[in-house]
Amino acid sequence: AGKQRADGTMSREAGKSTGEIVNLMSIDAQRLQDLMAYFHTLWSAPFQITVAIVMLWFEVGPAVFAGVAVLAASVPLTGVIARRMRSLQQQLMKVKDERIKVTNEVMSGMKIIKFYAWETSFGESITSIRNEELKILWRYRMMQTWSRFMWGAVPVLVSAATFTAFVLAGNELTASKAFTSLALFNILRFPTQMLPNMINNCMEARVSVLRLQEFLETPEISALPPPGIVVPGAPTVSVRDAELRWPDGSPLIDHISFECKPGQLTMIVGATGAGKSGLLASLIGDIKAARGSVSTGGNIGYAAQVAWIQNSTVQDNICFGKRFS
Ligand SMILES: Nc1ncnc2c1ncn2[C@@H]1O[C@H](COP(=O)(O)OP(=O)(O)OP(=O)(O)O)[C@@H](O)[C@H]1O
Ligand SMILES: [Mg+2]
């Protein structure tokens, strides 16, 4: 709050675009939320693993380490698969965005496309994006298959290794030992798969926290200049030999002077990109004059070029939450 002007444009000082903020909300905040769901596995997973291994030790003795070794070997492998899946998913999202964008453009410009008989070339461009999407989707599904395979195969391999070691050591494998051990290995399954994921998630969450922190610490936009005193006869808007620059330092307007008297209607005319919106931004205090002075008196009502309108009545849009009186 407070970082966004009522017209929906971001503060020029805050320097964050709407797209970046959408990302902060949809990716970074979501990441923190996802982390919280399994946050306690960070301590409970090592605890569960320790308890399960100790109890297995009582069942099958040192043979447990054959199983644990297989389990430990599978952890980096699942990690690699998970990372690969995540990167594929990101690629997939990107291609999907691209496809939706192009399809939207084609749909909204259908009339023109038909007029110029451009259907085939636009159709081809959409098809090529779709093919790209399919290719990535195929790779993603393959990885998913491997991931499911690991999920099913690892417990079998773990118990097979343990029991083999147990029998080879000259012990007798009884049903009670076998089934108790199987149950204990089953307990090991979740924490060993989850722990590496969680460590990874924590590192990602740290990056997100830093990004959110950076955003929350951006300077607040300066408040609108207080309503100046209207001196009868004096101009309400007065710009004297001002040099205006965008916050990034690029020049906007140099040497501009004008005055608006009360009751006067003033129009600013200029080619597109001439700096009209920039000039208005300086009148409402979004841009500071690098030289000269910009002063306004009385109250300011600003209707932005790209208006931000609430889904509400005209009156509500004007009063903006205040009581109509
Ligand atoms: N935030 C910004 N930082 C740097 N340069 C900018 C910024 N916003 C706009 N500009 C550039 O400043 C110039 C003036 O832009 P401005 O939006 O004031 O023009 P305009 O006269 O309002 O045009 P239009 O008639 O299209 O609304 C343009 O060349 C534009 O590319
Ligand atoms: Mg403009």
Side-chain angles (χ1 to χ4, degrees), residues 193-250:
Q193 303 268 338
M194 206 58 198
L195 195 59
N197 265 347
M198 281 308 291
I199 292 169
N200 204 6
N201 285 354
C202 280
M203 290 192 286
E204 284 182 357
R206 211 184 103 77
V207 175
S208 291
V209 165
L210 290 179
R211 280 161 51 91
L212 287 169
Q213 182 179 1
E214 189 212 358
F215 170 66
L216 292 175
E217 282 177 353
T218 46
E220 296 285 336
I221 54 171
S222 40
L224 291 178
I229 303 136
V230 188
V231 182
T236 41
V237 175
S238 142
V239 177
R240 258 185 239 111
D241 196 28
E243 184 192 345
L244 305 175
R245 288 179 171 281
W246 293 106
D248 64 8
S250 53

Coordinates of all heavy atoms in Angstrom, one line a residue, residues 193-250:
Q193 N 12.5 -38.7 1.2 CA 12.2 -38.0 -0.1 C 12.0 -36.5 0.1 O 12.3 -35.7 -0.7 CB 11.0 -38.6 -0.7 CG 11.0 -40.1 -1.0 CD 11.5 -40.4 -2.4 OE1 11.5 -39.6 -3.3 NE2 12.1 -41.6 -2.5
M194 N 11.5 -36.2 1.3 CA 11.0 -34.8 1.5 C 12.2 -33.9 1.9 O 12.2 -32.8 1.6 CB 10.0 -34.9 2.6 CG 9.0 -33.7 2.6 SD 8.1 -33.7 1.0 CE 7.6 -32.0 1.1
L195 N 13.1 -34.5 2.7 CA 14.1 -33.6 3.3 C 15.0 -32.9 2.2 O 15.1 -31.6 2.3 CB 15.0 -34.5 4.2 CG 15.9 -33.6 5.1 CD1 15.1 -32.7 6.0 CD2 16.8 -34.6 6.0
P196 N 15.5 -33.6 1.2 CA 16.2 -32.8 0.2 C 15.4 -31.7 -0.5 O 15.8 -30.6 -0.8 CB 16.7 -33.9 -0.8 CG 16.1 -35.1 -0.4 CD 15.5 -35.0 0.9
N197 N 14.1 -32.1 -0.8 CA 13.2 -31.1 -1.3 C 13.1 -29.9 -0.5 O 13.1 -28.7 -1.0 CB 11.8 -31.7 -1.5 CG 11.6 -32.3 -2.8 OD1 12.4 -32.0 -3.7 ND2 10.6 -33.1 -3.0
M198 N 12.9 -30.1 0.8 CA 12.7 -29.0 1.7 C 13.9 -28.1 1.8 O 13.8 -26.9 1.9 CB 12.4 -29.5 3.1 CG 11.0 -30.0 3.3 SD 9.8 -28.8 2.8 CE 10.0 -27.6 4.1
I199 N 15.1 -28.7 1.8 CA 16.3 -27.9 1.8 C 16.4 -27.0 0.6 O 16.7 -25.8 0.7 CB 17.6 -28.8 2.0 CG1 17.5 -29.5 3.3 CG2 18.8 -28.0 1.8 CD1 18.5 -30.6 3.5
N200 N 16.1 -27.6 -0.5 CA 16.0 -26.9 -1.8 C 15.0 -25.7 -1.7 O 15.3 -24.6 -2.0 CB 15.6 -27.9 -2.9 CG 16.1 -27.4 -4.2 OD1 16.8 -26.4 -4.3 ND2 15.7 -28.0 -5.3
N201 N 13.8 -26.1 -1.2 CA 12.7 -25.1 -1.0 C 13.2 -23.9 -0.1 O 12.8 -22.8 -0.4 CB 11.5 -25.7 -0.4 CG 10.7 -26.5 -1.5 OD1 11.1 -26.5 -2.6 ND2 9.7 -27.2 -1.0
C202 N 13.9 -24.3 0.9 CA 14.4 -23.2 1.9 C 15.3 -22.2 1.1 O 15.2 -21.0 1.3 CB 15.1 -23.8 3.0 SG 14.0 -24.5 4.3
M203 N 16.1 -22.8 0.3 CA 17.1 -21.9 -0.4 C 16.3 -21.0 -1.4 O 16.6 -19.8 -1.5 CB 18.1 -22.7 -1.1 CG 19.1 -23.4 -0.2 SD 20.5 -24.1 -0.9 CE 19.9 -25.5 -1.7
E204 N 15.3 -21.6 -2.0 CA 14.5 -20.7 -3.0 C 13.7 -19.7 -2.2 O 13.6 -18.6 -2.6 CB 13.5 -21.6 -3.7 CG 14.2 -22.4 -4.8 CD 13.3 -23.2 -5.6 OE1 12.1 -23.2 -5.3 OE2 13.7 -23.9 -6.6
A205 N 13.2 -20.1 -1.0 CA 12.4 -19.2 -0.2 C 13.3 -18.0 0.2 O 12.8 -16.9 0.3 CB 11.8 -19.9 1.0
R206 N 14.5 -18.3 0.5 CA 15.4 -17.2 0.9 C 15.6 -16.2 -0.2 O 15.5 -15.0 0.1 CB 16.8 -17.8 1.2 CG 17.6 -17.1 2.3 CD 18.9 -17.7 2.5 NE 19.9 -16.8 1.8 CZ 20.4 -15.7 2.4 NH1 19.9 -15.3 3.6 NH2 21.3 -15.0 1.8
V207 N 15.7 -16.6 -1.4 CA 15.8 -15.7 -2.5 C 14.5 -14.9 -2.6 O 14.5 -13.7 -2.8 CB 16.0 -16.5 -3.8 CG1 16.0 -15.5 -5.0 CG2 17.3 -17.2 -3.8
S208 N 13.4 -15.6 -2.4 CA 12.1 -14.9 -2.5 C 12.0 -13.8 -1.4 O 11.5 -12.7 -1.6 CB 10.9 -15.8 -2.3 OG 10.9 -16.6 -3.5
V209 N 12.4 -14.2 -0.2 CA 12.3 -13.3 1.0 C 13.2 -12.0 0.6 O 12.7 -10.9 0.9 CB 12.8 -13.9 2.3 CG1 13.1 -12.9 3.3 CG2 11.8 -14.9 2.8
L210 N 14.3 -12.2 0.1 CA 15.2 -11.1 -0.3 C 14.5 -10.2 -1.3 O 14.5 -9.0 -1.2 CB 16.5 -11.6 -0.8 CG 17.4 -12.2 0.2 CD1 18.8 -12.7 -0.4 CD2 17.7 -11.3 1.4
R211 N 13.9 -10.8 -2.3 CA 13.2 -10.0 -3.3 C 12.0 -9.2 -2.7 O 11.8 -8.1 -3.0 CB 12.6 -10.9 -4.4 CG 13.7 -11.4 -5.4 CD 13.3 -12.6 -6.2 NE 11.9 -12.5 -6.8 CZ 11.7 -12.0 -8.0 NH1 12.7 -11.6 -8.8 NH2 10.5 -11.9 -8.5
L212 N 11.2 -9.9 -1.8 CA 10.1 -9.2 -1.2 C 10.6 -8.1 -0.3 O 10.1 -7.0 -0.3 CB 9.3 -10.2 -0.4 CG 8.5 -11.2 -1.2 CD1 7.9 -12.3 -0.3 CD2 7.3 -10.4 -1.9
Q213 N 11.7 -8.4 0.4 CA 12.3 -7.4 1.3 C 12.7 -6.1 0.5 O 12.4 -5.0 0.8 CB 13.5 -7.9 2.0 CG 14.1 -7.0 3.0 CD 15.2 -7.6 3.8 OE1 15.6 -8.7 3.5 NE2 15.8 -6.8 4.7
E214 N 13.4 -6.4 -0.6 CA 13.8 -5.3 -1.5 C 12.6 -4.4 -1.9 O 12.7 -3.2 -1.9 CB 14.6 -5.9 -2.7 CG 15.3 -4.8 -3.5 CD 15.3 -5.2 -5.0 OE1 14.8 -6.3 -5.3 OE2 15.8 -4.4 -5.7
F215 N 11.5 -5.1 -2.3 CA 10.4 -4.4 -2.7 C 9.8 -3.6 -1.5 O 9.4 -2.4 -1.7 CB 9.3 -5.3 -3.3 CG 8.0 -4.7 -3.5 CD1 7.9 -3.7 -4.5 CD2 6.9 -5.0 -2.8 CE1 6.6 -3.1 -4.7 CE2 5.7 -4.4 -3.0 CZ 5.5 -3.4 -4.0
L216 N 9.6 -4.2 -0.4 CA 9.0 -3.6 0.7 C 9.8 -2.4 1.3 O 9.3 -1.5 1.9 CB 8.7 -4.6 1.9 CG 7.7 -5.6 1.5 CD1 7.6 -6.6 2.7 CD2 6.3 -5.0 1.3
E217 N 11.1 -2.4 1.0 CA 12.0 -1.4 1.5 C 12.2 -0.3 0.4 O 12.9 0.7 0.7 CB 13.3 -2.0 1.9 CG 13.3 -2.6 3.2 CD 14.6 -3.3 3.6 OE1 15.5 -3.3 2.8 OE2 14.7 -3.8 4.7
T218 N 11.5 -0.4 -0.7 CA 11.7 0.7 -1.7 C 11.0 2.0 -1.1 O 10.1 1.9 -0.3 CB 10.9 0.5 -3.0 OG1 9.6 -0.1 -2.7 CG2 11.7 -0.5 -3.9
P219 N 11.6 3.1 -1.4 CA 11.1 4.3 -0.7 C 9.6 4.6 -1.1 O 9.2 4.3 -2.2 CB 12.0 5.5 -1.3 CG 12.7 4.9 -2.4 CD 12.8 3.4 -2.3
E220 N 8.9 5.0 -0.1 CA 7.5 5.4 -0.4 C 7.4 6.5 -1.4 O 8.4 7.4 -1.4 CB 6.8 5.8 0.9 CG 6.8 4.8 2.0 CD 5.7 3.7 1.7 OE1 4.7 4.1 1.0 OE2 5.8 2.6 2.2
I221 N 6.4 6.6 -2.2 CA 6.3 7.7 -3.1 C 6.0 8.9 -2.2 O 5.4 8.9 -1.1 CB 5.1 7.5 -4.1 CG1 3.8 7.2 -3.3 CG2 5.4 6.5 -5.1 CD1 2.6 7.3 -4.3
S222 N 6.6 10.1 -2.6 CA 6.4 11.3 -1.8 C 4.9 11.7 -1.9 O 4.2 11.5 -2.9 CB 7.3 12.4 -2.3 OG 7.3 12.4 -3.7
A223 N 4.4 12.2 -0.8 CA 3.0 12.6 -0.7 C 2.8 13.7 -1.7 O 3.7 14.4 -2.2 CB 2.7 13.1 0.7
L224 N 1.5 13.8 -2.1 CA 1.2 14.9 -3.0 C 1.5 16.2 -2.3 O 1.4 16.3 -1.1 CB -0.4 14.9 -3.3 CG -0.9 13.8 -4.1 CD1 -2.4 13.9 -4.3 CD2 -0.2 13.8 -5.5
P225 N 1.9 17.2 -3.1 CA 2.2 18.5 -2.4 C 0.9 19.0 -1.7 O -0.2 18.8 -2.3 CB 2.6 19.4 -3.6 CG 2.2 18.7 -4.8 CD 2.1 17.3 -4.5
P226 N 1.0 19.6 -0.6 CA -0.1 20.0 0.2 C -0.9 21.1 -0.7 O -0.2 21.8 -1.4 CB 0.4 20.6 1.5 CG 1.8 20.9 1.2 CD 2.3 19.9 0.1
P227 N -2.2 21.1 -0.6 CA -2.9 22.1 -1.4 C -2.4 23.6 -1.0 O -2.3 23.9 0.1 CB -4.3 22.0 -0.9 CG -4.4 21.0 0.2 CD -3.0 20.3 0.2
G228 N -1.9 24.2 -2.1 CA -1.3 25.5 -1.9 C -2.4 26.5 -1.6 O -3.6 26.3 -1.8
I229 N -2.0 27.7 -1.1 CA -2.9 28.7 -0.8 C -3.2 29.4 -2.1 O -2.3 29.7 -2.9 CB -2.4 29.7 0.2 CG1 -2.0 29.0 1.5 CG2 -3.3 30.9 0.5 CD1 -0.7 29.4 2.1
V230 N -4.5 29.6 -2.4 CA -4.9 30.3 -3.6 C -4.9 31.8 -3.3 O -5.8 32.3 -2.6 CB -6.2 29.8 -4.1 CG1 -6.5 30.4 -5.5 CG2 -6.2 28.3 -4.2
V231 N -4.0 32.5 -3.9 CA -4.0 34.0 -3.7 C -4.8 34.6 -4.8 O -4.6 34.2 -6.0 CB -2.6 34.5 -3.8 CG1 -2.5 36.0 -3.6 CG2 -1.7 33.8 -2.8
P232 N -5.9 35.3 -4.5 CA -6.7 35.9 -5.6 C -5.9 36.6 -6.6 O -5.0 37.4 -6.3 CB -7.7 36.8 -4.8 CG -7.6 36.4 -3.4 CD -6.3 35.8 -3.2
G233 N -6.2 36.3 -7.9 CA -5.5 37.0 -8.9 C -4.2 36.3 -9.3 O -3.7 36.5 -10.5
A234 N -3.6 35.5 -8.4 CA -2.3 34.9 -8.8 C -2.6 33.6 -9.5 O -3.6 33.0 -9.4 CB -1.5 34.6 -7.5
P235 N -1.6 33.1 -10.3 CA -1.8 31.9 -11.0 C -1.9 30.7 -10.1 O -1.2 30.6 -9.1 CB -0.6 31.8 -11.9 CG 0.4 32.6 -11.3 CD -0.3 33.7 -10.6
T236 N -2.7 29.7 -10.4 CA -2.8 28.5 -9.5 C -1.8 27.5 -9.9 O -1.3 26.7 -9.1 CB -4.2 27.8 -9.6 OG1 -4.6 27.9 -11.0 CG2 -5.2 28.5 -8.8
V237 N -1.4 27.5 -11.2 CA -0.3 26.6 -11.6 C 0.8 27.5 -12.2 O 0.5 28.3 -13.1 CB -0.8 25.6 -12.7 CG1 0.4 24.8 -13.2 CG2 -1.9 24.7 -12.2
S238 N 2.0 27.3 -11.7 CA 3.0 28.2 -12.2 C 4.3 27.4 -12.4 O 4.8 26.7 -11.4 CB 3.2 29.3 -11.2 OG 4.5 29.7 -11.1
V239 N 4.8 27.3 -13.6 CA 6.0 26.6 -13.9 C 7.0 27.6 -14.4 O 6.7 28.3 -15.3 CB 5.8 25.5 -14.9 CG1 7.0 24.8 -15.3 CG2 4.7 24.5 -14.5
R240 N 8.1 27.7 -13.7 CA 9.1 28.7 -14.1 C 10.4 28.1 -14.5 O 11.1 27.5 -13.7 CB 9.3 29.7 -12.9 CG 8.5 31.0 -13.2 CD 8.8 32.0 -12.1 NE 7.5 32.4 -11.5 CZ 7.2 32.1 -10.2 NH1 8.1 31.5 -9.5 NH2 6.1 32.4 -9.7
D241 N 10.7 28.3 -15.8 CA 12.0 27.8 -16.3 C 12.5 26.5 -15.8 O 13.6 26.3 -15.3 CB 13.1 28.9 -16.0 CG 14.3 28.7 -16.9 OD1 14.1 28.2 -18.0 OD2 15.4 29.1 -16.5
A242 N 11.5 25.5 -15.8 CA 11.8 24.2 -15.2 C 12.5 23.3 -16.1 O 12.3 23.3 -17.4 CB 10.5 23.6 -14.7
E243 N 13.4 22.5 -15.6 CA 14.0 21.4 -16.4 C 13.5 20.1 -15.7 O 13.7 19.8 -14.6 CB 15.5 21.5 -16.3 CG 16.1 20.4 -17.2 CD 17.6 20.2 -17.0 OE1 18.2 21.1 -16.3 OE2 18.1 19.2 -17.4
L244 N 12.8 19.3 -16.5 CA 12.2 18.1 -16.0 C 13.0 16.9 -16.5 O 13.3 16.8 -17.7 CB 10.7 18.0 -16.4 CG 9.8 19.1 -16.0 CD1 8.4 18.9 -16.5 CD2 9.8 19.3 -14.5
R245 N 13.3 16.0 -15.6 CA 14.0 14.7 -16.0 C 13.2 13.5 -15.4 O 12.7 13.6 -14.3 CB 15.4 14.7 -15.4 CG 16.3 15.7 -16.1 CD 17.7 15.6 -15.4 NE 18.6 16.4 -16.2 CZ 19.2 15.9 -17.3 NH1 18.9 14.7 -17.7 NH2 20.0 16.7 -18.0
W246 N 13.2 12.4 -16.1 CA 12.6 11.2 -15.6 C 13.6 10.7 -14.5 O 14.7 11.1 -14.4 CB 12.5 10.1 -16.6 CG 11.5 10.4 -17.7 CD1 11.8 10.8 -19.0 CD2 10.1 10.3 -17.6 NE1 10.7 10.9 -19.7 CE2 9.6 10.7 -18.9 CE3 9.2 10.0 -16.6 CZ2 8.3 10.7 -19.1 CZ3 7.9 10.1 -16.9 CH2 7.4 10.4 -18.1
P247 N 13.0 10.0 -13.5 CA 13.9 9.5 -12.4 C 15.1 8.8 -12.9 O 16.1 8.8 -12.2 CB 13.0 8.6 -11.6 CG 11.6 9.0 -11.9 CD 11.6 9.5 -13.4
D248 N 15.1 8.1 -14.1 CA 16.3 7.4 -14.5 C 17.3 8.4 -15.2 O 18.3 8.0 -15.7 CB 15.9 6.3 -15.5 CG 15.2 6.8 -16.8 OD1 15.2 8.0 -17.0 OD2 14.8 6.0 -17.6
G249 N 16.9 9.7 -15.2 CA 17.9 10.7 -15.6 C 17.7 11.1 -17.1 O 18.3 12.1 -17.5
S250 N 16.8 10.4 -17.8 CA 16.6 10.8 -19.2 C 15.8 12.1 -19.3 O 14.9 12.3 -18.5 CB 15.9 9.6 -20.0 OG 14.7 9.3 -19.3

